[in-house]
Tab-separated table of all heavy atoms in Angstrom:
chain	number	residue	atom	x	y	z
A	18	SER	N	18.375	156.798	208.905
A	18	SER	CA	19.638	156.237	208.218
A	18	SER	C	20.827	156.543	209.076
A	18	SER	O	20.888	157.590	209.750
A	18	SER	CB	19.717	156.913	206.835
A	18	SER	OG	18.699	156.703	206.082
A	19	CYS	N	21.786	155.642	208.958
A	19	CYS	CA	22.950	155.870	209.714
A	19	CYS	C	24.189	155.230	209.023
A	19	CYS	O	24.356	153.940	209.172
A	19	CYS	CB	22.897	155.277	211.131
A	19	CYS	SG	24.326	155.380	212.179
A	20	PRO	N	24.953	155.986	208.279
A	20	PRO	CA	26.148	155.534	207.588
A	20	PRO	C	27.342	155.451	208.551
A	20	PRO	O	27.510	156.523	209.354
A	20	PRO	CB	26.269	156.343	206.422
A	20	PRO	CG	25.790	157.650	206.906
A	20	PRO	CD	24.704	157.389	207.802
A	21	ALA	N	28.178	154.554	208.536
A	21	ALA	CA	29.389	154.514	209.196
A	21	ALA	C	30.580	154.828	208.281
A	21	ALA	O	30.545	154.424	207.168
A	21	ALA	CB	29.702	153.104	209.871
A	22	SER	N	31.478	155.692	208.684
A	22	SER	CA	32.629	156.070	207.936
A	22	SER	C	33.942	156.232	208.769
A	22	SER	O	33.893	156.317	209.958
A	22	SER	CB	32.377	157.369	207.140
A	22	SER	OG	32.146	158.417	208.110
A	23	GLY	N	35.067	156.201	208.008
A	23	GLY	CA	36.302	156.386	208.679
A	23	GLY	C	37.326	155.069	208.524
A	23	GLY	O	37.199	154.557	207.535
A	24	ASN	N	37.984	154.898	209.657
A	24	ASN	CA	38.996	153.731	209.646
A	24	ASN	C	38.327	152.482	209.929
A	24	ASN	O	38.516	151.786	210.897
A	24	ASN	CB	40.093	154.022	210.543
A	24	ASN	CG	40.760	155.407	210.292
A	24	ASN	OD1	40.839	156.232	211.129
A	24	ASN	ND2	41.442	155.455	209.185
A	25	ILE	N	37.557	151.961	208.899
A	25	ILE	CA	36.705	150.791	209.108
A	25	ILE	C	37.366	149.613	208.274
A	25	ILE	O	37.588	149.662	207.068
A	25	ILE	CB	35.331	150.988	208.549
A	25	ILE	CG1	34.708	151.989	209.407
A	25	ILE	CG2	34.536	149.664	208.622
A	25	ILE	CD1	33.260	152.496	208.855
A	26	PHE	N	37.626	148.534	208.978
A	26	PHE	CA	38.056	147.295	208.440
A	26	PHE	C	36.771	146.324	208.084
A	26	PHE	O	36.724	145.845	206.995
A	26	PHE	CB	39.053	146.523	209.241
A	26	PHE	CG	39.510	145.227	208.592
A	26	PHE	CD1	40.474	145.221	207.568
A	26	PHE	CD2	39.042	144.017	209.109
A	26	PHE	CE1	40.778	143.976	207.024
A	26	PHE	CE2	39.461	142.844	208.513
A	26	PHE	CZ	40.381	142.852	207.508
A	27	ARG	N	35.982	146.307	209.054
A	27	ARG	CA	34.731	145.462	208.927
A	27	ARG	C	33.728	145.901	209.978
A	27	ARG	O	33.958	146.208	210.983
A	27	ARG	CB	35.126	143.970	209.154
A	27	ARG	CG	33.918	142.936	208.882
A	27	ARG	CD	34.538	141.577	208.934
A	27	ARG	NE	33.447	140.674	208.812
A	27	ARG	CZ	32.816	140.154	207.624
A	27	ARG	NH1	33.373	140.728	206.524
A	27	ARG	NH2	31.787	139.385	207.621
A	28	VAL	N	32.408	145.845	209.433
A	28	VAL	CA	31.303	146.215	210.287
A	28	VAL	C	30.521	144.925	210.597
A	28	VAL	O	30.172	144.283	209.796
A	28	VAL	CB	30.395	147.235	209.562
A	28	VAL	CG1	29.260	147.582	210.445
A	28	VAL	CG2	31.192	148.507	209.241
A	29	TYR	N	30.242	144.853	211.908
A	29	TYR	CA	29.565	143.583	212.367
A	29	TYR	C	28.060	144.092	212.574
A	29	TYR	O	27.434	144.537	211.783
A	29	TYR	CB	30.215	142.883	213.579
A	29	TYR	CG	31.595	142.407	213.009
A	29	TYR	CD1	32.779	143.184	213.257
A	29	TYR	CD2	31.659	141.107	212.575
A	29	TYR	CE1	34.029	142.636	212.851
A	29	TYR	CE2	32.905	140.662	212.090
A	29	TYR	CZ	34.066	141.382	212.325
A	29	TYR	OH	35.302	140.895	211.953
A	30	THR	N	27.623	143.721	213.795
A	30	THR	CA	26.290	144.048	214.202
A	30	THR	C	25.994	145.579	214.142
A	30	THR	O	26.886	146.385	214.748
A	30	THR	CB	25.916	143.481	215.549
A	30	THR	OG1	25.928	142.026	215.510
A	30	THR	CG2	24.501	143.863	215.992
A	31	MET	N	24.873	146.005	213.701
A	31	MET	CA	24.434	147.394	213.656
A	31	MET	C	22.980	147.469	214.253
A	31	MET	O	22.340	146.419	214.245
A	31	MET	CB	24.448	148.017	212.266
A	31	MET	CG	25.801	147.903	211.532
A	31	MET	SD	25.814	148.751	209.951
A	31	MET	CE	26.135	150.408	210.443
A	32	GLY	N	22.643	148.514	214.811
A	32	GLY	CA	21.347	148.641	215.357
A	32	GLY	C	20.937	149.998	215.797
A	32	GLY	O	21.628	151.006	215.610
A	33	TRP	N	19.844	150.109	216.544
A	33	TRP	CA	19.213	151.241	217.023
A	33	TRP	C	18.776	151.132	218.452
A	33	TRP	O	18.125	150.081	218.735
A	33	TRP	CB	17.983	151.673	216.211
A	33	TRP	CG	18.341	151.982	214.751
A	33	TRP	CD1	18.408	151.211	213.720
A	33	TRP	CD2	18.774	153.294	214.170
A	33	TRP	NE1	18.740	151.889	212.482
A	33	TRP	CE2	18.905	153.049	212.817
A	33	TRP	CE3	18.848	154.576	214.651
A	33	TRP	CZ2	19.370	154.164	211.967
A	33	TRP	CZ3	19.258	155.622	213.977
A	33	TRP	CH2	19.524	155.428	212.601
A	34	TYR	N	19.060	152.104	219.242
A	34	TYR	CA	18.573	152.277	220.668
A	34	TYR	C	17.759	153.565	220.679
A	34	TYR	O	17.909	154.460	219.784
A	34	TYR	CB	19.705	152.316	221.571
A	34	TYR	CG	20.340	151.029	221.983
A	34	TYR	CD1	21.219	150.385	221.221
A	34	TYR	CD2	20.052	150.385	223.249
A	34	TYR	CE1	21.792	149.083	221.470
A	34	TYR	CE2	20.610	149.294	223.645
A	34	TYR	CZ	21.466	148.489	222.769
A	34	TYR	OH	21.981	147.428	223.119
A	35	ARG	N	16.915	153.645	221.663
A	35	ARG	CA	16.236	154.925	221.827
A	35	ARG	C	16.186	155.201	223.382
A	35	ARG	O	16.197	154.266	224.268
A	35	ARG	CB	14.831	154.944	221.295
A	35	ARG	CG	13.851	153.944	221.833
A	35	ARG	CD	12.586	153.984	221.112
A	35	ARG	NE	11.565	153.077	221.851
A	35	ARG	CZ	10.379	152.858	221.226
A	35	ARG	NH1	10.024	153.223	219.972
A	35	ARG	NH2	9.585	152.057	221.807
A	36	GLN	N	16.037	156.480	223.657
A	36	GLN	CA	15.824	156.907	225.044
A	36	GLN	C	14.903	158.131	225.200
A	36	GLN	O	15.250	159.048	224.556
A	36	GLN	CB	17.269	157.306	225.733
A	36	GLN	CG	17.130	157.557	227.261
A	36	GLN	CD	18.477	157.604	227.868
A	36	GLN	OE1	19.448	157.966	227.157
A	36	GLN	NE2	18.531	157.233	229.059
A	37	ALA	N	13.838	157.999	225.994
A	37	ALA	CA	12.829	159.010	226.194
A	37	ALA	C	13.284	159.630	227.558
A	37	ALA	O	13.898	159.077	228.366
A	37	ALA	CB	11.495	158.387	226.185
A	38	PRO	N	12.868	161.001	227.624
A	38	PRO	CA	13.113	161.577	229.013
A	38	PRO	C	12.629	160.878	230.101
A	38	PRO	O	11.555	160.482	230.239
A	38	PRO	CB	12.487	162.962	228.692
A	38	PRO	CG	12.447	163.202	227.191
A	38	PRO	CD	12.216	161.837	226.705
A	39	GLY	N	13.491	160.642	231.131
A	39	GLY	CA	13.084	160.077	232.377
A	39	GLY	C	13.006	158.545	232.252
A	39	GLY	O	12.560	157.852	233.229
A	40	LYS	N	13.294	157.947	231.107
A	40	LYS	CA	13.263	156.467	230.956
A	40	LYS	C	14.556	155.918	230.571
A	40	LYS	O	15.535	156.521	230.173
A	40	LYS	CB	12.226	156.214	229.799
A	40	LYS	CG	10.867	156.625	230.000
A	40	LYS	CD	9.771	156.126	228.994
A	40	LYS	CE	9.774	154.612	229.045
A	40	LYS	NZ	8.728	154.150	227.985
A	41	GLN	N	14.667	154.591	230.805
A	41	GLN	CA	16.015	153.923	230.374
A	41	GLN	C	16.131	153.785	228.906
A	41	GLN	O	15.224	153.686	228.212
A	41	GLN	CB	15.931	152.496	231.067
A	41	GLN	CG	15.960	152.433	232.560
A	41	GLN	CD	15.964	151.077	233.055
A	41	GLN	OE1	15.217	150.757	234.019
A	41	GLN	NE2	16.775	150.204	232.680
A	42	ARG	N	17.356	153.711	228.536
A	42	ARG	CA	17.669	153.452	227.075
A	42	ARG	C	17.337	151.984	226.800
A	42	ARG	O	17.659	151.067	227.522
A	42	ARG	CB	19.189	153.726	226.757
A	42	ARG	CG	19.487	153.588	225.340
A	42	ARG	CD	20.941	154.047	225.046
A	42	ARG	NE	21.809	153.249	225.800
A	42	ARG	CZ	23.292	153.517	225.666
A	42	ARG	NH1	23.689	154.489	224.828
A	42	ARG	NH2	24.082	152.748	226.394
A	43	GLU	N	16.654	151.773	225.635
A	43	GLU	CA	16.285	150.483	225.343
A	43	GLU	C	16.574	150.188	223.913
A	43	GLU	O	16.799	150.987	222.970
A	43	GLU	CB	14.731	150.373	225.465
A	43	GLU	CG	13.932	151.191	224.459
A	43	GLU	CD	12.493	150.820	224.601
A	43	GLU	OE1	12.186	149.879	225.008
A	43	GLU	OE2	11.661	151.711	223.948
A	44	LEU	N	16.979	148.924	223.693
A	44	LEU	CA	17.243	148.451	222.325
A	44	LEU	C	15.986	148.408	221.495
A	44	LEU	O	14.881	147.876	221.931
A	44	LEU	CB	17.865	147.026	222.290
A	44	LEU	CG	18.114	146.371	221.016
A	44	LEU	CD1	19.141	147.103	220.172
A	44	LEU	CD2	18.500	144.813	221.144
A	45	VAL	N	16.001	148.946	220.305
A	45	VAL	CA	14.785	148.998	219.360
A	45	VAL	C	14.992	147.887	218.427
A	45	VAL	O	14.054	146.984	218.231
A	45	VAL	CB	14.745	150.286	218.661
A	45	VAL	CG1	13.622	150.333	217.666
A	45	VAL	CG2	14.560	151.432	219.650
A	46	ALA	N	16.151	147.722	217.770
A	46	ALA	CA	16.312	146.768	216.813
A	46	ALA	C	17.901	146.661	216.457
A	46	ALA	O	18.622	147.587	216.628
A	46	ALA	CB	15.551	147.048	215.541
A	47	ALA	N	18.185	145.350	216.065
A	47	ALA	CA	19.612	145.126	215.784
A	47	ALA	C	19.626	144.204	214.563
A	47	ALA	O	18.694	143.382	214.362
A	47	ALA	CB	20.338	144.477	216.932
A	48	ILE	N	20.669	144.204	213.836
A	48	ILE	CA	20.824	143.358	212.679
A	48	ILE	C	22.326	142.935	212.462
A	48	ILE	O	23.207	143.793	212.566
A	48	ILE	CB	20.265	144.066	211.345
A	48	ILE	CG1	20.457	143.141	210.127
A	48	ILE	CG2	21.121	145.368	211.198
A	48	ILE	CD1	19.610	143.687	208.961
A	49	THR	N	22.459	141.714	212.387
A	49	THR	CA	23.882	141.142	212.119
A	49	THR	C	24.274	141.361	210.569
A	49	THR	O	23.538	141.666	209.783
A	49	THR	CB	23.997	139.656	212.466
A	49	THR	OG1	23.283	138.957	211.469
A	49	THR	CG2	23.453	139.441	213.838
A	50	VAL	N	25.527	141.140	210.399
A	50	VAL	CA	26.174	141.351	209.090
A	50	VAL	C	25.444	140.232	208.160
A	50	VAL	O	25.358	140.529	206.964
A	50	VAL	CB	27.628	141.162	209.065
A	50	VAL	CG1	28.080	139.688	209.413
A	50	VAL	CG2	28.168	141.492	207.703
A	51	GLY	N	25.064	139.110	208.709
A	51	GLY	CA	24.370	138.099	207.818
A	51	GLY	C	22.923	138.417	207.664
A	51	GLY	O	22.145	137.553	207.014
A	52	GLY	N	22.293	139.514	208.390
A	52	GLY	CA	20.960	139.769	208.196
A	52	GLY	C	19.954	139.311	209.261
A	52	GLY	O	18.787	139.474	209.103
A	53	ASN	N	20.375	138.660	210.167
A	53	ASN	CA	19.572	138.184	211.317
A	53	ASN	C	19.145	139.470	212.104
A	53	ASN	O	19.905	140.308	212.416
A	53	ASN	CB	20.312	137.176	212.249
A	53	ASN	CG	20.501	135.881	211.512
A	53	ASN	OD1	19.819	135.518	210.722
A	53	ASN	ND2	21.708	135.281	211.798
A	54	THR	N	17.939	139.503	212.514
A	54	THR	CA	17.353	140.690	213.172
A	54	THR	C	16.786	140.385	214.446
A	54	THR	O	16.391	139.298	214.759
A	54	THR	CB	16.234	141.311	212.340
A	54	THR	OG1	15.259	140.408	212.118
A	54	THR	CG2	16.898	141.878	211.058
């Protein structure tokens, strides 16, 4: 889970990246405000 808080007017795309030791960071998943994944 990942809640965003603070001085927020609007949140657009949200998502998850991951990085294993010795490897490049990669996109795991993303979701738009409209629900496209």
Side-chain angles (χ1 to χ4, degrees):
S18 299
C19 181
S22 62
N24 301 118
I25 297 171
F26 179 77
R27 185 171 175 83
V28 180
Y29 297 93
T30 297
M31 306 184 80
W33 297 89
Y34 280 77
R35 68 184 181 187
Q36 187 167 27
K40 299 185 66 176
Q41 296 178 226
R42 184 172 61 179
E43 65 173 347
L44 175 67
V45 177
I48 183 168
T49 68
V50 67
N53 294 320
T54 60

